[in-house]
Amino acid sequence: VSVVTDGSAPSPSPSPSPTPSPTTYTVTVADYLGSNYFYIDGSRAPTLTLTEGQTYKFDQSDSTNSSHPLRISTTSNGTHAGGSEYTTGVTTSGTPGSSGAYTQIEVASGAPTLYYYCTNHSGMGGQLNT
């Protein structure tokens, strides 16, 4: 039992460290030289570096994401290049272009180089280095 003399509340028992909140990237879609691309935090299809064990959220709530589901693959351009969707640690929620829509990845230990892509349109994405 804590005895407090300065009028403040006793400090709580030590608790486990909170899981760090995910790094959130804002995703928009815009035309560049006649083709649509994913823009991540305003940059056109950038290569991102992800850290194993960390969580990254790709926020697709902006209306420009409508009909552009962002997914992840071990193949550049994903299913458009004969690859398959990478699902280890990946969760998706909502409809792209609607409030609250996102794709999130908790990067697995030893994860390969990954790529983000649009399931509906070829050539929109970029690389995720791990």
Side-chain angles (χ1 to χ4, degrees):
V1 175
S2 299
V3 176
V4 178
T5 56
D6 64 0
S8 66
S11 47
S13 304
S15 58
S17 305
T19 305
S21 59
T23 298
T24 299
Y25 292 112
T26 299
V27 180
T28 55
V29 174
D31 177 88
Y32 178 78
L33 299 178
S35 297
N36 279 328
Y37 290 90
F38 282 124
Y39 281 72
I40 309 290
D41 289 348
S43 296
R44 180 175 50 90
T47 295
L48 303 175
T49 299
L50 308 184
T51 303
E52 292 177 6
Q54 298 297 309
T55 300
Y56 299 87
K57 185 177 199 173
F58 295 89
D59 178 350
Q60 285 204 281
S61 57
D62 187 86
S63 63
T64 59
N65 285 283
S66 181
S67 83
H68 300 296
L70 183 148
R71 297 295 183 263
I72 298 170
S73 180
T74 56
T75 304
S76 179
N77 209 20
T79 54
H80 304 288
S84 57
E85 186 175 333
Y86 179 85
T87 57
T88 304
V90 178
T91 54
T92 59
S93 180
T95 302
S98 301
S99 179
Y102 67 85
T103 295
Q104 182 171 289
I105 180 170
E106 183 176 343
V107 183
S109 178
T113 298
L114 298 168
Y115 301 87
Y116 57 97
Y117 70 101
C118 173
T119 59
N120 293 336
H121 306 94
S122 180
M124 287 184 58
Q127 184 169 320
L128 302 170
N129 293 329
T130 57

